[in-house]
Every structure is written in structure tokens, then in C-alpha cells.
């Protein structure tokens, strides 16, 4: 999602703070109530003893045609969903549950049909299920790390026109299918090769938890037990019902959107004055579903941020029009009210991101120091090629998993040669795509990238928090300032952000997958190959899906439109700040930015000081910042989703835990996949037949007078 950004986490509360800002990609740690607590595991029978009678296929047999065919179909589905979320609010929930569930359902249906026909040659195993899960998440992950709603689209003329600074030709790169696919192919694989030699350290020696990877493994293991298979069938049925409802509801709404400001999405549910300040329920099944998946604290934080900004601050600043900023500026001008919205949101995002960057870096350094100190009897670090015999003190499950995890090695020379080869190709290719991004900038990034990828993967294992977007923002400032304003620094900074984000994001994703594979006895080789194939699929599918949006919706990226791509403007303005400084900000905006930057740091410090018990009542600055720019409409949807889940849990907690994620996934998938037929209809020139608008009584009287005169 963080995925990705997937993909930020609060180290003190991994199950509560699921934000990867763009940056806001949530991975639920306790999916489907499959606990990752070791004591709970000890109470039940050993998981591997349940599967003891089942033969583990070789790594080649885990990579089946049907697995990649299903992954391709699901990859397209989830890419549409992630792309829609990217281009609307940037809030992306974890799709792990739905990917695992739908992968299981499709292949199980396939194998049952073949079994009845007598043509089944290979049964469906949990290892194959893990391959599908890995491939689908890798494919849809490119829609996040590819920057289609952030840095990549931020290079375009549409977004550049919204700023008066750095909108000349050398700082603009309009989207094109060919260069986007080429760019993704040369930057998306480096992260995979950078962490392969250290997989044994992460999984076996340091025993990092990787909560999301562990939760996914529990989910897949449970599907392949008799009881779990029955529950999975019911969950798929529930998902299918809500998928159909969500798809049909989106189709129904389309009929009433013949013009600007038409349709249910503009229904002033809380009154016209509230609607003017973007407080309304927009009938989006997607964000009701997202609200059901995201923790209560995130949804409440979003609402608090919306009330603080659109309910209090923006009306007060608007009253200063003519004093703080010129009344002649358009509403979308960054020298007017829009500037306060964008830059104060950036200040909070940077404050939260940098605080957590240094906190996770501290956790990583401290944890790494203790891990190495505890293993000081060894002369060297245990890298991928060196095996060690499982300790006698390990449980049966751990012994079995360690034995198979160390069985199929990925040669270190392959990782090193792969990394150097791709780095050389990338350094030679990228300056042709982005002329301001010189080859030596890329070489410097690639020298530091393996260390940063390791830090991100290690920190993610400790805290479930991936800081891919934060590393990307650091690259924006460093490379942008290095290139300078007169040499296309804005474009160079945005391109460098893409290079860095792709490396650190795919590195943490792969180590999560190694953890999932370790717990389902899937071979590291099959995980690595699956991740490479999924990434390659994503490098083609994501640009194609974005291109469909780009061609179908001509107001893409325009503030206030259906697909406004809010983070594209945010990332571009970060690049402008890095290159040109603060001179262009409106009056008192810089002071307010300092206040909110410090506030974000202080709130995070207070959350850490008071501990988990009280931190769950303190809002998250990153979540609060998102509605500062976007408005409150989607927070209303998400809070309604939270309310539905809360009431359901009060009535029947067991059923809510089992079927809540399936209901939420159905709502998200149905509404998300409607974007495919709606894009095709828009490209074909088919327009909705009805415009449904909501007017005040006074405006309505004027319209009636005009029509009857």
C-alpha cells in the first residue's frame, strides 16, 4: 500500500499507526484475527506438524503457470484500485487479505475443476499460494512506488502550471508510456538484489518479526487447513457480495454525473455551508471500506485534522484576504490560500517523517548493535551463502522452517553482479530520460542505496514501518539542491526521489516476503523469482493503467477534479522548496509551517513518552496533515466505515473479526474496478445522461427565473 509505500508504521504501536503517507499505506498486523503472538502459537498444535504429511514441492514446482496467470489477473485488478486511491487521496490500505483470499479462491476453483475432470497433475499448496501473494503485492506495489500520484506525475505540465516557480521546460517532463515503462524497468529491480545476501541475517539470525509478513503467513497457513478452507469459502462469498454491491452502486452513480459538480458525490449531506468547506459524505464505497480496514485512531486523527484545518484555520486565514495575501489570486494559486494548505501540510508530513526516520534509525542501530554483540563469537556476519545448523533449542516449527529456508540458496555473486549490472545500465539510461539528473548523481545514490535499503528492511522487520517515502523526500532535497535552480533542480530532485523510493521500497517488500515464505515453507528462490516476475508485470501494468486514466480523464491533476492527484503538487512543491528556498511563500506561511513542523515532532514525542496505553488517544500528525490539503469529505466516509465496524464488533465480535476484512475488501475492489469501464466509456466519448445538482433555495429561484424568462 506503505505500498507502498506500502508503508509506514509507529514503532511503538505497529497495529495502530499504519501510515505510509502518499504516503499513507496501511498494512494490518492482525489480519483476520490470526495472531502473531508466540505464546498463542505454543498453545495450539505445531503448525508444521499439521502439514507434516504433505510434501513440500521443489522451488521450481512452486512457480506454476496457473499461479502467475492468477497473479497477472489480480495484479491488474489491484493496480486499478491502488491507482484510483493514488490519484484521489493517496490513502492506500493493505490489500494483503484480499490478495491472499482471492488467490486461494481462484486457484482452488481451478484445481477442483481439473480434479473432477481427472486432469489435475499438481495439487494447490500453501507455497504456491505464497507465490501468488508475493507476485500480486509486487505488481500492485509498483503503482505506489512508481510515483503516479506523487513524484512522477509531479513532473508534468499540468502540475507545474499550478506553481509560478520552476515551471520552465527544463523542469517539466510530461507522461509518456515509453519513458515511464523504461524508467521503472531500470530502477525497480535494484532493491531486490541489494538485500538478497543479507536475508539469513534478517530472518534466521536476528529473528526479525516482520509483523505484516508474519500475519500474511498465518493467513495462508490457515487457508490450507480443513477448518480454514471452510472459513475462506465463506469470506470469499462475502467479498463477492459486497464487490457486486459496490460495483453496481458506482455504476448507478455514474448516470447522474453528466457535468461538473453533478452526482451523489456532491450531495451536501451536512448542509451547504459545510459543503463549501468540504465537509460532506460523498457516498464512496471505497473509502467506507478503507475506514473499516484502517485502525480507529487513524480515522479519528483524519477527522481532527479536517476540523482543525477546514473547520477553523482556513476560514480564519480567508478572512485575512487582502492583508496576508492578495485578493486577486485565484483559489488554486499557491500565493493565496492554497499555499497555506499545501505548505502547512508539507511541514507536518516532514516533521512526522523526519521524527520517525530518526526514531526508526535509532531502533535499527540499537537493535543491530545488540544483535552483533550477542553473536560476537562469530568472526563475520552470516550472509546468505553461509548456513548454520538449527539450534537444538528451536521448536519443531522453527527447525523445519530453518532447514528448508537454508536449503535453496541464492548465490551472493548473482546478487552482486545483478546489482552492479543494473546500476551501470541505470546510470547510463536515466540521464537520457531526465537530462538534469546527471550520471554522477545516480552513482552517488547507488553507492549509498544498499545501506539505506538494509536500514529500511531492518527497521521494517523491527517495527513494521517502511520509510520509503521519507528516503525519497531526502533525495528530493539533496539532489535538487545539488543540481540547482538553473540546471533543472526540480526535475532532478523528483527523478532522484523515484530512484531512491523504488530501491528502499522493494528491499523491505522482499524481506517481508522472505519472512512469509519462511513461515509457509516457500523457498527463498521461489520468493525471489516471484518478486522479480511481479515487479516486471508491475513495470508494464502500472504505466498502462495510469495512461488509461491520463487519456480518459482530461482534468487529471486539476485541483477539485475527480482525480486531483493531490500528492503530485505536494512533491513538486517540496522540490521547489529544496531548490529555491522559502522566498515564494505567502505572508506568515513560513511561521505557521515552523509551528506545525514543531507540533508534529512534539506530538510524536508525547505519544512515545506516555506509552501505548495513552498513545492510542493522541492523534497521529501524519494522518492529521492529509485533510489539510484535501478536505474532510473522505474522512467522513472513513469514519462511517469505522462506525459500522465498531457497531458490528459490539454486536458480534467474532463475526466482525472474521468477515470485516472481506466486507471492506469487497467495497474497495468493486468501486475500484468500476474505474476500468468508466475510463473506457470516457475514451469512447460516452457521457452520462443526467446531471443531478444540489442548489440553495436562493440559487434555485434564480435558475427558475432565468429558465422561465
Amino acid at each position: 500500500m506503505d505500498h507502498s509505500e506500502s508503508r509506514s508504521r509507529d514503532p511503538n504501536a505497529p497495529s495502530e499507526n499504519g501510515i505510509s503517507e502518499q504516503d499513507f499505506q496501511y498494512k494490518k498486523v492482525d489480519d483476520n484475527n490470526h495472531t502473531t503472538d508466540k505464546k498463542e502459537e505454543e498453545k495450539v498444535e505445531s503448525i508444521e506438524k499439521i502439514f507434516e504429511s504433505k510434501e513440500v514441492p521443489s522451488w521450481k514446482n512452486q512457480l506454476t503457470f496457473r499461479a502467475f496467470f492468477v497473479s497477472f489477473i489480480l495484479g491488474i485488478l489491484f493496480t486499478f484500485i491502488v491507482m484510483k486511491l493514488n490519484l484521489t487521496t493517496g490513502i492506500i490500505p493493505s490489500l494483503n487479505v484480499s490478495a491472499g483470499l482471492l488467490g486461494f479462491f481462484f486457484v482452488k476453483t481451478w484445481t477442483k475443476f481439473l480434479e473432477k475432470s481427472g486432469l489435475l497433475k499438481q495439487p494447490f499448496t500453501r507455497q504456491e499460494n505464497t507465490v501468488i501473494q508475493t507476485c500480486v503485492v509486487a505488481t500492485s506495489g509498483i503503482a505506489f512506488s512508481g510515483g503516479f500520484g506523487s513524484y512522477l506525475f509531479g513532473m508534468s505540465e499540468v502540475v507545474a502550471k499550478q506553481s509560478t516557480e520552476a515551471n520552465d521546460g527544463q523542469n517539466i517532463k510530461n507522461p509518456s508510456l515509453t519513458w515511464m515503462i523504461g524508467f521503472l524497468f531500470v530502477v525497480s529491480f535494484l532493491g531486490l538484489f541489494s538485500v538478497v545476501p543479507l536475508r539469513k541475517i534478517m530472518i534466521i539470525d536476528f529473528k526479525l518479526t516482520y509483523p505484516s509478513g508474519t500475519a500474511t503467513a498465518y493467513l495462508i497457513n490457515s487457508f490450507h487447513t480443513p477448518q480454514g478452507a471452510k472459513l475462506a469459502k465463506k469470506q470469499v462469498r462475502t467479498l463477492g457480495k459486497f464487490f457486486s454491491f459496490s460495483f453496481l452502486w458506482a455504476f448507478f452513480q455514474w448516470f447522474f454525473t453528466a457535468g461538473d459538480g453533478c452526482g451523489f458525490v456532491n450531495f451536501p449531506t451536512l448542509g451547504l455551508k459545510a459543503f463549501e468547506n468540504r465537509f460532506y459524505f460523498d457516498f464512496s464505497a471505497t473509502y467506507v471500506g478503507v475506514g473499516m480496514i484502517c485502525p480507529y485512531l487513524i480515522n479519528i486523527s483524519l477527522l481532527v485534522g479536517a476540523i482543525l484545518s477546514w473547520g477553523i484555520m482556513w476560514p480564519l486565514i480567508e478572512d485575512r484576504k487582502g492583508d496576508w495575501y492578495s485578493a486577486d489570486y485565484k483559489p488554486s494559486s499557491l500565493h493565496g490560500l492554497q499555499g497555506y494548505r499545501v505548505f502547512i501540510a508539507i511541514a507536518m508530513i516532514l516533521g512526522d517523517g523526519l521524527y520517525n526516520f530518526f526514531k526508526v534509525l535509532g531502533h535499527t542501530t540499537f537493535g543491530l548493535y545488540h544483535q552483533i554483540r550477542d553473536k560476537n563469537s562469530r568472526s563475520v556476519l552470516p550472509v546468505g551463502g553461509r548456513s548454520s545448523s538449527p539450534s537444538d533449542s528451536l521448536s519443531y516449527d522453527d527447525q523445519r522452517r530453518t532447514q528448508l529456508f537454508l536449503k535453496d540458496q541464492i548465490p551472493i555473486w548473482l546478487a552482486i553482479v545483478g546489482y552492479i549490472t543494473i546500476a551501470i545500465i541505470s546510470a547510463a539510461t536515466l540521464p537520457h530520460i531526465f537530462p538534469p539528473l546527471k550520471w554522477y548523481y545516480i552513482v552517488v545514490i547507488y553507492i549509498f542505496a544498499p545501506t539505506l535499503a538494509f536500514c529500511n528492511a531492518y527497521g521494517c522487520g523491527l517495527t513494521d514501518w517502511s520509510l520509503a517515502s521519507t528516503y525519497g523526500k531526502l533525495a528530493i532535497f539533496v539532489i535538487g539542491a545539488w543540481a540547482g535552480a538553473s540546471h533543472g533542480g526540480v526535475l532532478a530532485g523528483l527523478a532522484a526521489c523515484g530512484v531512491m523510493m523504488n530501491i528502499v521500497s522493494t528491499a523491505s517488500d522482499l524481506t517481508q516476503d522472505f519472512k512469509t515464505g519462511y513461515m509457509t515453507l516457500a523457498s527463498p528462490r521461489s520468493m525471489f523469482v516471484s518478486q522479480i516476475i511481479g515487479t516486471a508485470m508491475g513495470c508494464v501494468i502500472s504505466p498502462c493503467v495510469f495512461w488509461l486514466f491520463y487519456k480518459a480523464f482530461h482534468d487529471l491533476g486539476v485541483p477539485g477534479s475527480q482525480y486531483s492527484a493531490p500528492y503530485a503538487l505536494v512533491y513538486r512543491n517540496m522540490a521547489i522548496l529544496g531548490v529555491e528556498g522559502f522566498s515564494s511563500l505567502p505572508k506568515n506561511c513560513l511561521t505557521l509551517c515552523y509551528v506545525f513542523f514543531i507540533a508534529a515532532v512534539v506530538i510524536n514525542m508525547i505519544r512515545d513518552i506516555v506509552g501505548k496505553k495513552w498513545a492510542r488517544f493522541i492523534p497521529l500528525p501524519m494522518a492529521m496533515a492529509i485533510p489539510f490539503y484535501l478536505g474532510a469529505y473522505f474522512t467522513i466516509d472513513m469514519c462511517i466505515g469505522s462506525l459500522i465496524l465498531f457497531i458490528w464488533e459490539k454486536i458480534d465480535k467474532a463475526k466482525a473479526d472474521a468477515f470485516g476484512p472481506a466486507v471492506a475488501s469487497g467495497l474497495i475492489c468493486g468501486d475500484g474496478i468500476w474505474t476500468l469501464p468508466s475510463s473506457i466509456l470516457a475514451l469512447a466519448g460516452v457521457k452520462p445522461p443526467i446531471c443531478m445538482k444540489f442548489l440553495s433555495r436562493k440559487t434555485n429561484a434564480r435558475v427558475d427565473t432565468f429558465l422561465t424568462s
Side-chain angles (χ1 to χ4, degrees):
M1 129 147 335
D2 221 277
H3 349 199
S4 30
E5 207 223 311
S6 5
R7 296 168 174 173
S8 316
R9 296 293 179 285
D10 181 346
N12 287 331
S15 63
E16 287 182 354
N17 183 10
I19 319 175
S20 149
E21 343 110 275
Q22 166 4 112
D23 281 40
F24 190 95
Q25 184 153 357
Y26 171 63
K27 284 184 180 175
K28 196 161 186 177
V29 173
D30 194 16
D31 288 325
N32 259 359
N33 210 27
H34 295 283
T35 180
T36 60
D37 193 294
K38 232 178 178 178
K39 289 177 185 175
E40 288 293 319
E41 188 180 344
E42 286 165 6
K43 288 179 186 175
V44 299
E45 189 184 348
S46 162
I47 290 171
E48 296 310 329
K49 280 187 178 172
I50 295 172
F51 294 102
E52 198 173 16
S53 60
K54 295 187 179 179
E55 186 187 349
V56 178
S58 68
W59 72 272
K60 288 181 180 176
N61 288 336
Q62 293 170 23
L63 303 167
T64 61
F65 169 78
R66 68 190 179 201
F68 290 117
F69 179 78
V70 168
S71 298
F72 179 72
I73 301 299
L74 291 179
I76 294 172
L77 167 67
F78 288 128
T79 299
F80 267 99
I81 295 164
V82 173
M83 196 66 71
K84 180 187 176 178
L85 296 170
N86 259 336
L87 297 173
T88 49
T89 64
I91 299 177
I92 306 164
S94 168
L95 298 170
N96 283 9
V97 177
S98 19
L101 200 57
L102 289 171
F104 174 80
F105 169 71
F106 281 128
V107 180
K108 201 72 177 169
T109 306
W110 185 329
T111 53
K112 269 198 171 181
F113 174 76
L114 290 177
E115 197 172 9
K116 285 178 182 175
S117 312
L119 300 171
L120 183 63
K121 292 179 181 176
Q122 185 177 338
F124 181 42
T125 61
R126 57 194 174 126
Q127 290 80 26
E128 192 178 351
N129 206 157
T130 308
V131 165
I132 294 171
Q133 167 84 21
T134 299
C135 194
V136 172
V137 173
T139 302
S140 58
I142 296 293
F144 164 72
S145 61
F148 299 99
S150 57
Y151 66 84
L152 190 140
F153 191 45
M155 302 172 182
S156 68
E157 191 175 357
V158 174
V159 178
K161 278 181 179 176
Q162 295 168 41
S163 307
T164 52
E165 297 82 20
N167 56 8
D168 54 317
Q170 66 176 349
N171 283 307
I172 291 173
K173 181 82 176 173
N174 281 315
S176 163
L177 206 51
T178 48
W179 77 253
M180 287 191 297
I181 292 173
F183 167 70
L184 290 175
F185 265 107
V186 295
V187 300
S188 296
F189 296 92
L190 274 155
L192 304 181
F193 288 99
S194 65
V195 293
V196 162
L198 298 171
R199 71 191 180 283
K200 182 177 174 290
I201 293 180
M202 307 287 203
I203 309 299
I204 306 293
D205 296 293
F206 291 173
K207 293 183 172 60
L208 298 177
T209 51
Y210 289 100
S212 292
T214 301
T216 304
Y218 273 94
L219 191 70
I220 291 170
N221 282 334
S222 73
F223 287 161
H224 293 266
T225 61
Q227 298 84 354
K230 284 179 186 175
L231 177 62
K233 267 188 186 177
K234 291 177 183 175
Q235 288 171 327
V236 167
R237 204 173 296 128
T238 303
L239 191 150
K241 283 178 188 173
F242 283 89
F243 177 95
S244 304
F245 163 76
S246 178
F247 182 86
L248 293 171
W249 173 240
F251 180 41
F252 175 73
Q253 287 188 81
W254 176 81
F255 282 96
F256 301 92
T257 56
D260 293 336
C262 300
F264 286 91
V265 72
N266 293 293
F267 181 57
T269 36
L270 302 174
L272 288 165
K273 191 66 182 172
F275 181 80
E276 285 173 18
N277 286 292
R278 303 195 190 180
F279 278 90
Y280 57 95
F281 175 56
D282 73 346
F283 295 90
S284 166
T286 293
Y287 285 105
V288 172
V290 171
M292 289 180 72
I293 291 179
C294 287
Y296 298 127
L297 181 61
I298 286 179
N299 297 329
I300 296 301
S301 301
L302 287 164
L303 189 60
V304 169
I307 293 167
L308 177 64
S309 55
W310 290 88
I312 300 170
M313 285 176 57
W314 305 156
L316 289 174
I317 292 174
E318 196 167 14
D319 289 342
R320 304 288 187 278
K321 186 193 288 184
D323 177 16
W324 283 21
Y325 61 94
S326 171
D328 298 330
Y329 288 128
K330 293 178 182 177
S332 60
S333 171
L334 287 170
H335 293 288
L337 183 58
Q338 185 80 331
Y340 293 94
R341 293 171 185 161
V342 171
F343 291 111
I344 291 173
I346 288 173
M348 285 194 80
I349 289 169
L350 288 176
D352 186 285
L354 288 174
Y355 176 86
N356 284 298
F357 169 72
F358 286 111
K359 187 170 80 169
V360 173
L361 193 64
H363 274 259
T364 302
T365 308
F366 187 72
L368 198 55
Y369 166 73
H370 278 279
Q371 293 282 9
I372 294 170
R373 190 188 66 180
D374 293 344
K375 296 177 183 299
N376 58 11
S377 58
R378 299 183 185 187
S379 58
V380 290
L381 279 175
V383 292
R386 303 184 179 98
S387 63
S388 61
S389 58
S391 166
D392 295 334
S393 63
L394 292 177
S395 67
Y396 174 79
D397 280 5
D398 282 338
Q399 285 188 40
R400 178 98 170 111
R401 289 165 178 170
T402 302
Q403 178 194 359
L404 284 165
F405 188 79
L406 297 174
K407 181 185 168 189
D408 292 325
Q409 297 297 332
I410 302 167
I412 295 178
W413 66 263
L414 178 68
I416 294 170
V417 169
Y419 187 88
I420 293 171
T421 304
I422 296 172
I424 292 168
I425 294 168
S426 185
T429 308
L430 288 175
H432 293 286
I433 301 173
F434 309 108
L437 188 68
K438 305 301 181 186
W439 66 268
Y440 43 88
Y441 300 160
I442 302 162
V443 170
V444 169
I445 291 173
Y446 287 162
I447 289 169
F448 289 101
T451 306
L452 299 177
F454 170 75
C455 289
N456 194 47
Y458 187 91
C460 190
L462 287 174
T463 65
D464 214 28
W465 189 304
S466 171
L467 295 170
S469 54
T470 307
Y471 285 111
K473 293 187 192 87
L474 290 174
I476 287 179
F477 289 114
V478 173
I479 302 298
W482 188 2
S486 58
H487 298 96
V490 171
L491 187 63
L494 290 169
C497 172
V499 174
M500 185 63 77
M501 261 184 78
N502 275 284
I503 292 170
V504 296
S505 177
T506 50
S508 62
D509 285 353
L510 180 59
T511 44
Q512 286 271 18
D513 293 332
F514 279 144
K515 181 68 175 185
T516 305
Y518 169 77
M519 295 188 68
T520 57
L521 303 189
S523 167
R525 284 188 187 179
S526 65
M527 292 291 90
F528 183 64
V529 172
S530 177
Q531 185 85 19
I532 283 182
I533 291 173
T535 302
M537 285 181 186
C539 289
V540 176
I541 293 170
S542 288
C544 290
V545 170
F546 174 75
W547 194 246
L548 187 62
F549 276 86
Y550 187 66
K551 289 295 181 185
F553 304 104
H554 299 295
D555 57 356
L556 187 76
V558 176
S561 65
Q562 184 182 2
Y563 298 107
S564 58
Y567 276 102
L569 185 61
V570 167
Y571 272 66
R572 185 170 186 89
N573 280 288
M574 283 184 190
I576 292 170
L577 279 178
V579 171
E580 300 198 351
F582 304 109
S583 57
S584 62
L585 297 181
K587 187 179 178 182
N588 296 319
C589 185
L590 184 59
T591 305
L592 288 169
C593 286
Y594 285 143
V595 168
F596 279 89
F597 181 92
I598 294 165
V601 173
V602 170
I603 291 169
N604 272 307
M605 286 177 69
I606 293 169
R607 282 176 51 80
D608 288 336
I609 290 165
V610 299
K612 290 183 186 178
K613 184 180 177 183
W614 298 106
R616 59 199 176 101
F617 298 110
I618 301 172
L620 304 164
M622 183 70 73
M624 288 172 65
I626 292 170
F628 270 51
Y629 172 55
L630 287 172
Y633 63 95
F634 71 94
T635 69
I636 306 291
D637 300 351
M638 290 176 69
C639 286
I640 287 172
S642 267
L643 182 63
I644 291 167
L645 187 65
F646 179 77
I647 294 168
W648 193 1
E649 284 178 341
K650 290 293 177 188
I651 296 168
D652 189 343
K653 189 170 191 319
K655 210 164 187 180
D657 286 339
F659 293 98
V663 170
S665 299
L667 291 172
I668 294 166
C669 293
D671 195 27
I673 205 63
W674 164 250
T675 55
L676 174 58
S678 70
S679 302
I680 293 167
L681 288 169
L683 285 170
V686 178
K687 294 184 179 178
I690 304 164
C691 173
M692 181 172 69
K693 277 200 175 184
F694 302 92
L695 308 172
S696 67
R697 186 170 55 214
K698 191 176 177 182
T699 307
N700 188 58
R702 280 163 48 203
V703 171
D704 284 347
T705 305
F706 174 78
L707 291 173
T708 54
S709 60

